[in-house]
Amino acid sequence: MCSIAFAPAGQAIAKSPSKKQTVSTAKSKKYSTRSSQYRVNPEKTKSMRPVKLHSHARKSARPAVDAEMFDSFSGKSAGNGNLSIASTKALVMNQNTHEIIYSKNLDTPTPIASVTKLMTAMVVLDAKLNLNDQVSITDMDVDYLKGTSSRLPVGTTMTREDMLNLALIASENRAASALATNYPGGKARFIQDMNAKAASLGMMNTHFEDSTGLTSNNVSTAMDLAKMVHAAYQYPLIRQITTTSDYDLNVGSRRQPIHFHNTNALVRESTNSSWEIGLSKTGYISEAGRCLVMQATIAGEPLILVLLDSVGKLTRIGDARRIKKWMEHNYSTLTSHNDGGIVLTGLSMSKTLGDEAN
């Protein structure tokens, strides 16, 4: 009997943020082949069929795609109860047993956008830097690659802890960049440590070139990101920050604090819903599509969800909702089979699931 071996996470810093946080109720190619083995129960996976999104679907009116995929527990497969996921790459895994419940293009390297910031946070915390130190936004932190905007002008100074909050809650690129700029050894050393951390976690198909995710050269796979989410979950501060709905911060000489909200709508609505989210991070650049990774307890089980390259603004949220409803509807079926599992390598498993799905 085999299971996924996750490398131990670095030492976490459990200090809570010092700034006031308010809770809102708002609605809303150099990759190596993995040799690890995984336990897969074919009785649990053979009925799961991913949705094919053809090129015309991507080019057509996106609201129609979102509306079609948004809120049915069985997606397009309402007739037979199969789980259908619109995201191009996806993974649903039991965090405790490491059993793969659903996968789609599991080992395909892809840009990961701001999901990168989970690794950024781990590297900062592993370095045990003083979170109360003052950190400034400089011209080096301005996004000249994508030209994204920011509410943090050059010269803005705040604590390293505030920078970490803004990077993880609001996905503030200048904050994530400043964390690397103000790292011992500078950005070059920070990127080196990001890749070293990825290697230590067994993320062999992952590569980082910046701390923000703005570059499409930050690539990973659904399987590797599950390892990263599992590792990040070991840091109490990362769990606490990424599940914070809103964050108010006094910036510069402004009389009123600036309000930042969590980029994951499911976190913002979780206080008035049945979601139990333990960790969350979104991401988006055009090359990566809409991305979402989460740790969440669904049907009493701790799950890791990885949704990559979704089409449209709502599809990744729709996929997450659909997974939750499908799990709650089918949980007894999923857990009733304790025999007949087969052990396959990651590549063979991915191919088998793909063949069954198609």
Side-chain angles (χ1 to χ4, degrees):
M1 184 172 182
C2 268
S3 61
I4 299 171
F6 288 95
Q11 187 67 33
I13 295 179
K15 183 177 180 297
S16 298
S18 59
K19 294 294 180 180
K20 180 180 178 182
Q21 301 179 26
T22 58
V23 178
S24 167
T25 58
K27 300 286 184 181
S28 29
K29 245 106 192 148
K30 296 180 181 180
Y31 307 106
S32 61
T33 300
R34 294 181 296 104
S35 60
S36 301
Q37 292 186 323
Y38 309 95
R39 181 174 179 81
V40 182
N41 190 328
E43 294 302 318
K44 300 178 183 181
T45 58
K46 67 182 181 181
S47 65
M48 301 179 190
R49 179 170 59 85
V51 175
K52 288 184 177 180
L53 286 182
H54 300 289
S55 58
H56 71 273
R58 288 179 172 271
K59 297 177 182 178
S60 61
R62 288 183 173 178
V65 175
D66 292 333
E68 179 183 2
M69 297 301 300
F70 191 70
D71 204 30
S72 167
F73 78 82
S74 57
K76 282 178 173 285
S77 305
N80 56 24
N82 292 345
L83 176 61
S84 297
I85 299 299
S87 300
T88 304
K89 299 99 179 172
L91 174 64
V92 181
M93 175 189 291
N94 187 302
Q95 187 180 17
N96 284 344
T97 66
H98 302 159
E99 181 178 23
I100 296 174
I101 298 169
Y102 177 93
S103 72
K104 182 179 180 182
N105 295 321
L106 187 68
D107 297 301
T108 304
T110 186
I112 61 173
S114 286
V115 173
T116 293
K117 294 182 175 75
L118 286 178
M119 181 61 77
T120 298
M122 286 193 286
V123 170
V124 170
L125 296 179
D126 284 351
K128 295 181 171 57
L129 304 175
N130 190 335
L131 297 183
N132 292 318
D133 283 350
Q134 295 292 307
V135 175
S136 296
I137 303 293
T138 69
D139 190 63
M140 292 179 62
D141 305 313
V142 176
D143 172 23
Y144 294 108
L145 179 63
K146 301 290 185 181
T148 55
S149 61
S150 173
R151 288 186 287 172
L152 304 179
V154 172
T156 298
T157 299
M158 65 186 71
T159 65
R160 180 175 280 109
E161 187 171 328
D162 282 329
M163 291 287 188
L164 195 59
N165 273 272
L166 296 187
L168 291 177
I169 296 172
S171 208
E172 239 297 341
N173 291 312
R174 290 186 184 181
S177 178
L179 290 170
T181 303
N182 291 273
Y183 188 76
K187 281 190 174 182
R189 178 58 184 271
F190 192 88
I191 304 307
Q192 179 181 333
D193 288 352
M194 289 178 74
N195 286 300
K197 178 73 171 180
S200 74
L201 295 175
M203 299 170 63
M204 306 311 294
N205 293 318
T206 298
H207 177 73
F208 295 104
E209 288 192 5
D210 86 332
S211 61
T212 66
L214 287 169
T215 172
S216 60
N217 292 329
N218 282 14
V219 296
S220 188
T221 65
M223 187 68 251
D224 276 7
L225 290 183
K227 297 177 182 180
M228 187 171 79
V229 170
H230 178 79
Y233 187 78
Q234 310 310 311
Y235 296 71
L237 185 55
I238 294 179
R239 295 201 306 267
Q240 187 272 323
I241 292 176
T242 62
T243 55
T244 295
S245 176
D246 298 87
Y247 196 75
D248 291 341
L249 182 67
N250 290 307
V251 177
S253 59
R254 291 173 178 262
R255 292 186 177 181
Q256 298 296 324
I258 298 180
H259 178 75
F260 298 88
H261 69 263
N262 199 298
T263 54
N264 183 357
L266 296 176
V267 170
R268 301 200 301 273
E269 70 180 37
S270 61
T271 54
N272 284 345
S273 74
S274 59
W275 278 99
E276 297 181 46
I277 299 173
L279 180 145
S280 165
K281 189 68 196 78
T282 64
Y284 173 74
I285 56 174
S286 58
E287 297 93 335
R290 307 278 173 175
C291 304
L292 173 64
V293 299
M294 290 198 305
Q295 189 281 346
T297 300
I298 302 176
E301 291 293 326
L303 302 181
I304 292 176
L305 281 63
V306 179
L307 301 167
L308 305 175
D309 194 12
S310 294
V311 179
K313 294 181 179 180
L314 300 178
T315 307
R316 60 187 175 185
I317 300 299
D319 277 347
R321 293 184 192 276
R322 192 159 38 257
I323 290 167
K324 182 174 183 292
K325 289 186 177 183
W326 191 91
M327 282 290 297
E328 291 170 344
H329 183 82
N330 295 281
Y331 178 68
S332 59
T333 301
L334 285 173
T335 56
S336 63
H337 300 285
N338 296 319
D339 303 316
I342 57 175
V343 177
L344 302 170
T345 65
L347 290 177
S348 297
M349 178 202 64
S350 180
K351 183 177 187 301
T352 300
L353 289 177
D355 290 344
E356 291 173 349
N358 293 328

